[in-house]
Amino acid sequence: MKTAFITGVTSGFGKAIAIRLAGLGYQLVLTGRRKEKLDEVCDYINSNFSVKTFPLCFDVRDNDACKQSIASLPDDFKNIDLLINNAGLAAGASPFDESDLTDFDRMIDTNVKGLLYVTKLIVPGMIERKSGHIINISSIAGIEVYPNGSVYCASKHAVNAITKGLRIDLVKHGIKVSSVSPGMAETEFSIIRYHGDEEKAKAVYQGLVPLNAEDIADTVEFIVTRPDHVSINDIQINPAQQANTYIAHRV
Ligand code: NDP
Ligand code: 8X3
């Protein structure tokens, strides 16, 4: 049985991916900061699928917490076959000069440094076993830069550079490295971005049908079910009504 480690399963993409991988027979290490929600996802999977789950409640921005949490994994969960770096956020949507530096820190610390901390701890085992797969949840914001999104876009551009670099450095160890780059998807993402303002968050998707978390779980399922000799580098997926970060056909 393969083991997957997914960051940020208390909501959105991470939760849908966890449930999908449980259906594919993966046993799961599931992480997030909100313990109640993390336990809920684990309980749901434990009662609906015949796979085991192991919850790790920690903040990916805290390298010591990452180290302690991952070191605490019991032997039967230690060998990670699939790492999904999903935990991430946008904080704020303002011109650079009007933005808050603490928002910049949150995005860089979570989306870039958190991803690095977790990956650094999991890669050595993959190298030792000469196999593994890392999937980084990036964004269309890693490909295009849009107004009021400079630092979020920078963080996802960094994720893409890290993805490409990891692929180069790990290919000799038999480790695949992929990314998924979604456009607009309705999760808790915009509520977090607008600091809890649900009206502003709703307006983001007005007049169009956004992606949902299941669409991203479908994409991850496609990536992990390719034959051994196939590596998917990146899948960029948008709502049908979104051409790029600037052009959305709203009706
Ligand atoms: P959600 O806000 O619904 O989920 C984000 C998840 O990340 C939560 O489980 C949250 O858990 C976790 N997380 C956030 N910060 C931390 C942290 N410091 N430590 C540990 N876990 C953390 O958003 P999405 O599901 O939409 O986002 C998932 C990923 O997809 C992100 O990387 C995002 O940038 C990316 N993305 C989202 C798009 C969208 O439009 N929704 C489009 C493209 C990419 P908790 O709060 O419990 O810690
Ligand atoms: C989130 C998608 O278009 O808001 O990564 O940047 S977008």
Side-chain angles (χ1 to χ4, degrees):
M1 182 180 282
K2 286 194 171 179
T3 303
F5 186 113
I6 311 169
T7 63
V9 305
T10 54
S11 162
F13 300 168
K15 182 176 177 181
I17 294 166
I19 293 167
R20 187 64 62 92
L21 291 182
L24 293 175
Y26 282 81
Q27 69 166 0
L28 299 164
V29 180
L30 300 177
T31 88
R33 289 167 302 176
R34 289 170 289 176
K35 189 174 181 321
E36 251 176 49
K37 286 191 179 281
L38 181 60
D39 289 343
E40 264 171 40
V41 175
C42 288
D43 290 347
Y44 177 82
I45 291 174
N46 295 339
S47 8
N48 289 282
F49 299 91
S50 53
V51 295
K52 289 189 290 178
T53 58
F54 195 90
L56 286 180
C57 191
F58 67 95
D59 187 327
V60 296
R61 293 172 296 181
D62 179 344
N63 193 26
D64 287 336
C66 293
K67 283 183 187 163
Q68 280 164 22
S69 301
I70 292 171
S72 77
L73 284 172
D75 283 346
D76 51 339
F77 280 94
K78 267 193 189 331
N79 295 341
I80 311 298
D81 300 289
L82 172 63
L83 165 62
I84 303 197
N85 283 311
N86 165 75
L89 79 166
S94 313
F96 182 88
D97 48 300
E98 293 169 23
S99 298
D100 188 335
L101 202 53
T102 57
D103 281 345
F104 291 171
D105 282 337
R106 275 174 76 198
M107 292 187 275
I108 299 290
D109 290 350
T110 309
N111 301 355
V112 183
K113 292 172 72 180
L115 179 148
L116 291 173
Y117 294 156
V118 171
T119 306
K120 192 83 174 76
L121 292 163
I122 289 180
V123 156
M126 289 182 170
I127 292 178
E128 210 176 288
R129 293 187 301 281
K130 296 190 187 323
S131 75
H133 195 165
I134 300 167
I135 303 178
N136 293 329
I137 305 299
S138 185
S139 169
I140 192 172
I143 300 165
E144 299 169 14
V145 178
Y146 53 81
N148 304 330
S150 54
V151 174
Y152 179 66
C153 293
S155 75
K156 292 300 187 177
H157 275 65
V159 169
N160 287 355
I162 293 163
T163 302
K164 289 175 191 164
L166 281 170
R167 190 178 302 127
I168 292 165
D169 292 344
L170 299 181
V171 67
K172 61 178 177 288
H173 300 292
I175 299 168
K176 296 183 192 181
V177 185
S178 309
S179 58
V180 179
S181 300
M184 281 185 273
E186 193 162 10
T187 58
E188 291 181 11
F189 178 83
S190 289
I191 300 172
I192 307 275
R193 170 169 243 173
Y194 290 107
H195 305 294
D197 185 332
E198 301 207 3
E199 259 176 51
K200 273 193 182 166
K202 264 225 155 333
V204 172
Y205 312 109
Q206 204 166 13
L208 57 78
V209 181
L211 297 173
N212 57 55
E214 289 304 314
D215 298 320
I216 307 311
D218 288 344
T219 309
V220 168
E221 176 171 358
F222 177 78
I223 292 173
V224 301
T225 52
R226 294 312 85 206
D228 283 349
H229 71 284
V230 175
S231 174
I232 302 292
N233 287 355
D234 179 53
I235 293 183
Q236 206 277 298
I237 170 174
N238 273 12
Q241 288 170 264
Q242 184 185 16
N244 59 29
T245 54
Y246 303 97
I247 311 288
H249 177 61
R250 297 179 194 264
V251 289

